Amino acid sequence: QKEVEQNSGPLSVPEGAIASLNCTYSDRGSQSFFWYRQYSGKSPELIMSIYSNGDKEDGRFTAQLNKASQYVSLLIRDSQPSDSATYLCAPRRAYSSASKIIFGSGTRLSIRP
Amino acid sequence: DAGVIQSPRHEVTEMGQEVTLRCKPISGHDYLFWYRQTMMRGLELLIYFNNNVPIDDSGMPEDRFSAKMPNASFSTLKIQPSEPRDSAVYFCASRSSGQGSDEQYFGPGTRLTVT
């Protein structure tokens, strides 16, 4: 079992619709969760972080966390063509004394006009 | 701030040659990470430093890879000898341990091609 599982996609969503990206992780000790966005040929950039069970909203983005189910998701409302990118889920291991995070392989999202 | 700086941006070399990748982290950041990204394996953590000290190098593929951080503003990742399977994009990232900041800032990457 991979440490972080994401559907590789591509996930095709019409412009204006809600895009739903899902991620499961195997390390029950994970406490912090991050979503990074990576445009083709560019470096990853942080778009959301979540630490507690429930929802966290930031603009058009909502991160959802369920530690019991070891599941984290990212919802993008009113999807725009500029949202087309690969989204990387990244849990952080709580027992690490430092800050090592493990990246999933990413879900490629395509917003069609 | 200029962000994380990496050089070179592109490197093409022949199998067996030594390759050195360079990174300048964001000033004031005390964590530095080296990642490798390929289509097959995704984004893999190779090694990371805290206050210039290597903390975890369990991701370094083999003895051909080595990394150093002689001071807070400079790090190198060396591959000697290089092999075609080392072809990938290598990212350097830095982070501050200061409260309220959890973001790792990535450099633009070095695209390495070993022929």
Side-chain angles (χ1 to χ4, degrees):
Chain A
Q1 181 187 11
K2 286 184 180 179
E3 293 183 78
V4 184
E5 298 256 18
Q6 294 183 258
N7 187 325
S8 62
L11 175 65
S12 182
V13 173
E15 185 175 355
I18 296 175
S20 178
L21 307 167
N22 305 315
C23 170
T24 57
Y25 59 94
S26 60
D27 185 355
R28 286 195 170 275
S30 298
Q31 295 293 338
S32 308
F33 303 86
F34 307 94
W35 283 98
Y36 280 77
R37 177 178 62 199
Q38 187 176 22
Y39 292 113
S40 180
K42 302 295 184 182
S43 54
E45 57 179 336
L46 181 68
I47 55 171
M48 285 288 284
S49 57
I50 186 167
Y51 306 94
S52 304
N53 281 329
D55 295 0
K56 178 182 178 183
E57 187 175 316
D58 184 0
R60 296 187 296 112
F61 298 95
T62 298
Q64 300 175 316
L65 174 61
N66 183 327
K67 291 184 180 179
S69 301
Q70 295 174 252
Y71 174 87
V72 58
S73 66
L74 180 70
L75 301 178
I76 306 174
R77 290 182 300 281
D78 187 24
S79 296
Q80 303 296 311
S82 60
D83 295 326
S84 296
T86 296
Y87 290 81
L88 306 170
C89 170
R92 185 168 72 194
R93 294 173 170 178
Y95 58 78
S96 171
S97 60
S99 58
K100 176 178 177 175
I101 63 176
I102 304 297
F103 284 89
S105 56
T107 297
R108 188 155 55 96
L109 175 66
S110 176
I111 306 301
R112 57 182 189 270
Chain B
D1 199 315
V4 177
I5 298 172
Q6 291 187 249
S7 65
R9 293 293 305 276
H10 302 273
E11 177 80 36
V12 180
T13 190
E14 292 184 349
M15 183 174 64
Q17 296 299 306
E18 177 179 298
V19 175
T20 299
L21 311 181
R22 296 172 176 81
C23 175
K24 176 179 169 54
I26 293 173
S27 177
H29 283 190
D30 52 346
Y31 282 97
L32 183 139
F33 306 83
W34 281 101
Y35 291 90
R36 176 174 69 176
Q37 188 172 40
T38 61
M39 289 292 292
M40 291 295 296
R41 301 176 67 90
L43 190 62
E44 303 174 278
L45 176 64
L46 300 177
I47 185 172
Y48 73 94
F49 296 82
N50 178 222
N51 291 323
N52 314 338
V53 176
I55 301 300
D56 186 342
D57 65 354
S58 59
M60 296 286 261
E62 47 198 274
D63 292 344
R64 296 185 298 107
F65 286 68
S66 63
K68 294 181 180 180
M69 192 165 185
N71 57 63
S73 59
F74 184 66
S75 177
T76 60
L77 178 68
K78 186 175 294 186
I79 308 172
Q80 166 64 21
S82 58
E83 296 182 4
R85 60 191 167 124
D86 301 330
S87 297
V89 179
Y90 290 80
F91 289 105
C92 175
S94 71
R95 173 183 176 272
S96 169
S97 60
Q99 200 165 11
S101 173
D102 237 338
E103 181 169 2
Q104 285 184 183
Y105 294 83
F106 283 79
T110 295
R111 182 172 294 277
L112 174 64
T113 303
V114 183
T115 61

